[in-house]
């Protein structure tokens, strides 16, 4: 909202929409590929001031609270380079993530630039299968959930998020763990999840979920 108010205020003064921007980006889309188990991914958007006036960075923000955005400096002189630093907190996120970034500048016209931060997060643990299910009326026997971790990761614990299902470790190993998951019964539809906690080297524990369901 702050960005919108800033642009609206300057638009009212006729300062938005110049023909040519003095700020030129090296890249407006970054792809980060952090190593497996990294806690964060850091990228830098670089630009240069091609104009005759000092460029002032008025506002920067990311669409997601998982990303912290900050300019290296607020004012960039003609001919100088500027940098916008983006720190993406990985946590338990998996796969390809995209975060929109907004940068508002005064060149001296007010301008808003849209940037994109892409993060390709390599899997640190796989659950096979990711979804365990039973049909109503099936035998309520337990089923095996296999956990495989990359080197350096350790299995911590597993628990059911619902009292309708139980989980126990049946075969622990250094790189793989077998869990037996069992519904209380299969008389009616019910659902939940199995929360698996693993520990990367010298970092806080991470959680992954496997869905369980009687349908």
């Amino acid at each position: 909202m702050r960005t919108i108010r800033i642009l609206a205020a300057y638009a009212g003064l006729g300062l938005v929409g110049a023909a040519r921007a003095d700020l030129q980006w090296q890249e407006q889309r970054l792809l980060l590929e952090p190593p497996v188990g990294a806690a964060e991914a850091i990228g830098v958007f670089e630009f240069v001031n091609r104009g005759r006036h000092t460029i002032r960075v008025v506002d920067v923000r990311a669409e997601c609270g998982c990303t912290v955005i900050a300019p290296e400096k607020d004012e960039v002189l003609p001919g100088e380079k500027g940098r916008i630093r983006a720190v993406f907190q990985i946590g338990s996120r998996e796969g390809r993530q995209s975060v929109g970034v907004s940068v508002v500048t005064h060149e001296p016209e007010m301008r808003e630039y849209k940037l994109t931060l892409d993060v390709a997060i390599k899997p640190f643990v796989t659950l096979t299968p990711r979804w365990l299910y039973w049909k109503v009326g099936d035998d309520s026997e337990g089923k095996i959930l296999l956990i495989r971790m990359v080197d350096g990761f350790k299995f911590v614990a597993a628990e059911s998020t619902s009292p309708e299902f139980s989980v126990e470790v049946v075969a622990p190993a250094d790189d793989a763990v077998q869990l037996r998951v069992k519904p209380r019964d299969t008389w009616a539809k019910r659902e939940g999840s199995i929360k698996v906690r693993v520990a990367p080297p010298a970092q806080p524990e991470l959680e992954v979920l496997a869905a369980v369901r009687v349908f």
Side-chain angles (χ1 to χ4, degrees):
M1 292 300 295
R2 180 184 170 197
T3 299
I4 295 174
R5 288 197 296 269
I6 290 172
L7 288 172
Y10 279 87
L13 296 175
L15 298 178
V16 177
R20 184 184 65 84
D22 291 335
L23 183 156
Q24 293 184 15
W25 295 96
Q26 181 176 323
E27 291 182 87
Q28 289 187 253
R29 186 166 200 141
L30 293 181
L31 172 62
L32 306 181
E33 298 180 287
V36 175
E40 61 185 23
I42 301 175
V44 176
F45 294 96
E46 297 186 354
F47 64 88
V48 63
N49 181 355
R50 297 293 189 189
R52 295 177 294 128
H53 304 279
T54 296
I55 290 178
R56 186 159 52 90
V57 181
V58 178
D59 190 44
V60 293
R61 63 183 58 235
E63 293 177 349
C64 173
C66 61
T67 305
V68 178
I69 303 293
E72 184 180 69
K73 52 187 176 181
D74 294 333
E75 293 189 346
V76 181
L77 300 177
E80 282 190 340
K81 292 182 178 180
R83 292 154 58 95
I84 305 293
R85 189 171 185 264
V87 181
F88 179 90
Q89 301 298 327
I90 296 174
S92 297
R93 295 176 177 85
E94 302 176 80
R96 181 83 169 227
Q97 308 286 321
S98 290
V99 179
V101 174
S102 170
V103 178
V104 178
T105 62
H106 183 266
E107 306 189 17
E109 296 85 1
M110 291 294 289
R111 292 183 176 276
E112 181 181 23
Y113 296 91
K114 294 295 188 179
L115 314 176
T116 302
L117 183 70
D118 292 322
V119 185
I121 304 173
K122 300 179 179 67
F124 54 87
V125 60
T126 57
L127 305 181
T128 308
R130 201 63 185 256
W131 180 41
L132 290 169
Y133 64 91
W134 295 257
K135 292 183 179 180
V136 172
D138 280 353
D139 190 327
S140 59
E141 64 182 6
K143 295 188 177 183
I144 295 297
L145 173 61
L146 179 64
I147 305 166
R148 291 193 180 277
M149 297 158 287
V150 299
D151 290 343
F153 277 68
K154 300 296 183 184
F155 171 78
V156 176
E159 60 185 273
S160 173
T161 62
S162 167
E164 306 293 339
F165 298 87
S166 63
V167 58
E168 64 175 332
V169 178
V170 293
D174 290 339
D175 62 344
V177 175
Q178 288 186 26
L179 305 178
R180 179 177 288 113
V181 182
K182 189 175 185 297
R184 185 178 65 184
D185 58 61
T186 58
W187 299 345
K189 294 181 180 180
R190 59 191 86 245
E191 60 184 27
S193 59
I194 303 301
K195 182 188 299 183
V196 177
R197 303 204 316 270
V198 299
Q203 292 181 26
E205 295 177 3
L206 300 174
E207 296 180 352
V208 290
L209 297 175
V212 288
R213 185 180 182 189
V214 177
F215 69 101

